[in-house]
Amino acid sequence: MIDTCDTLICYVDEKKSKSGAKTAMKYAQKIGLKIINLWREEDSVFFGKTKEEIDLLLKEWLLNTDIVKKSNN
C-alpha cells in the first residue's frame, strides 16, 4: 500500500522500540516518500519530567495495574 503513495502521514515516536508504524515509516523513508510525522515529544507522558518524577509515575502505574493486584491476592 505504501508503494502507491507519495506521502506517508504517521504518528511515530522514533525513540521507542520497534512497531509496525515505525517499520512503515522507515520503509517510506527508504523509498523516498514525503513523511509527515504528527508525533511531538510533548505528547509523551514523561516530557519535561525528572527521573524521580518518572520513577514515581511508573511506581503508581504498576500499583494500579491488574497484574500487581492479582499477584497480591
Side-chain angles (χ1 to χ4, degrees):
M1 189 151 71
I2 292 173
D3 292 318
T4 62
C5 300
D6 59 3
T7 303
L8 175 75
I9 300 172
C10 57
Y11 185 80
V12 177
D13 179 356
E14 295 182 66
K15 295 178 185 175
K16 297 292 180 181
S17 59
K18 292 182 180 181
S19 72
K22 186 175 180 180
T23 301
M25 186 181 76
K26 295 293 182 188
Y27 176 72
Q29 289 171 332
K30 181 179 176 181
I31 63 172
L33 298 187
K34 177 180 178 183
I35 308 293
I36 300 173
N37 187 358
L38 301 174
W39 167 262
R40 298 294 170 254
E41 188 158 355
E42 299 84 36
D43 295 341
S44 171
V45 68
F46 302 124
F47 180 75
K49 304 255 187 288
T50 65
K51 181 182 179 328
E52 292 78 18
E53 290 170 322
I54 292 170
D55 289 344
L56 182 61
L57 284 171
L58 291 173
K59 283 179 189 175
E60 288 174 0
W61 177 79
L62 285 172
L63 289 173
N64 291 314
T65 62
D66 286 339
I67 296 169
V68 174
K69 288 178 184 176
K70 287 179 185 174
S71 68
N72 288 334
N73 292 330

